């Protein structure tokens, strides 16, 4: 049986994530060798690892078909999605340790939250597209996905659901920025419906 590329690709994300998690744990416990100079490990040593992990998330966690052969593909329970989850946990542990040590990343908290939200949005999209690819045989390529009516319909429904959920949650918390982001996404869904989705059906269905 052939071995899917997911097993090879996931190692490139798990190795730095494991190293970052170990550094964060040793810093919290004030253990050797991190204890004498935690800033050197948490900043100089960890920031390149974090940057690599973000690049891996974009290239593999979002851009890969995540073929888990010889195992069947299961959404969220495949090597790549589990790897993305471990990367996220390692990054959160690192950021919390930095805050505990009083180390400032010189990055606004709002910018970090926006980056996390954008990556989560892209990952959800990629998970849905991977499921359509593995379960329904839609080719894992941008032209094939773009031409697929099913893909366009699923994305429209998914984006509308995310937009409405973000707006409702932001309204309950009186948070302005997430509400605006949800409204913008909902506007893009409406625009997509008219420009892309409705262009692929006949006049009667369009009416």
């Amino acid at each position: 049986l052939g071995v899917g590329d997911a097993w090879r690709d996931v190692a490139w994300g798990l190795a730095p994530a494991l190293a970052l998690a170990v550094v964060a744990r040793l810093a919290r416990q004030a253990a050797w060798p991190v204890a004498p100079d935690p800033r050197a490990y948490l900043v100089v040593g960890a920031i390149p690892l974090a940057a690599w992990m973000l690049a891996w998330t974009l290239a593999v966690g979002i851009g890969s078909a995540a073929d888990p052969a010889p195992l069947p593909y299961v959404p969220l329970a495949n090597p790549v999605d589990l790897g993305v989850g471990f990367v996220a946990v390692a990054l959160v542990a690192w950021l919390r340790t930095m805050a505990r040590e009083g180390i400032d990343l010189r990055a606004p908290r709002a910018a970090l939250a926006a980056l996390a939200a954008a990556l989560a949005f892209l990952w959800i999209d990629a998970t849905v597209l991977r499921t359509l690819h593995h379960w329904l045989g839609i080719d894992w390529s941008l032209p094939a996905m773009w031409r697929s009516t099913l893909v366009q319909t699923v994305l429209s429904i998914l984006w509308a659901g995310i937009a409405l959920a973000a707006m409702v949650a932001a309204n309950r918390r009186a948070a302005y920025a997430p509400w605006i982001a949800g409204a913008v996404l909902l506007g893009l869904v409406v625009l997509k419906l008219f420009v892309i989705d409705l262009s692929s059906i006949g006049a009667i269905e369009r009416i």
Side-chain angles (χ1 to χ4, degrees), residues 2-163:
V3 178
D5 56 4
W7 302 102
R8 177 200 63 214
D9 294 338
V10 74
W12 292 96
L14 288 182
L18 181 59
L20 189 65
V22 169
V23 168
R25 183 174 181 83
L26 292 176
R28 289 196 303 270
Q29 295 178 344
W32 184 88
V34 179
D37 192 359
R39 180 179 293 270
Y41 285 89
L42 292 172
V43 178
V44 179
I47 286 181
L49 291 177
W52 175 272
M53 290 156 61
L54 291 176
W56 177 87
T57 301
L58 288 172
V60 176
I62 295 173
S64 169
D67 181 11
L71 299 180
Y73 177 83
V74 179
L76 305 181
N78 59 82
V80 168
D81 286 333
L82 293 175
V84 170
F86 186 74
V87 164
V89 170
L91 287 172
V92 170
W94 170 61
L95 290 174
R96 293 182 65 180
T97 303
M98 293 271 285
R100 179 180 175 180
E101 295 292 329
I103 301 174
D104 187 7
L105 270 179
R106 300 182 182 275
R109 180 171 297 182
L112 293 176
L115 176 61
L119 289 174
F121 175 75
L122 293 175
W123 171 71
I124 292 172
D125 290 343
T127 300
V128 171
L129 294 178
R130 281 194 285 260
T131 302
L132 295 175
H133 165 66
H134 288 287
W135 288 9
L136 300 179
I138 300 175
D139 189 36
W140 184 259
S141 66
L142 182 58
M145 295 287 180
W146 181 268
R147 291 192 301 265
S148 173
T149 303
L150 177 61
V151 168
Q152 297 296 341
T153 302
V154 169
L155 286 180
S156 295
I157 296 173
L158 175 65
W159 293 356
I162 293 174

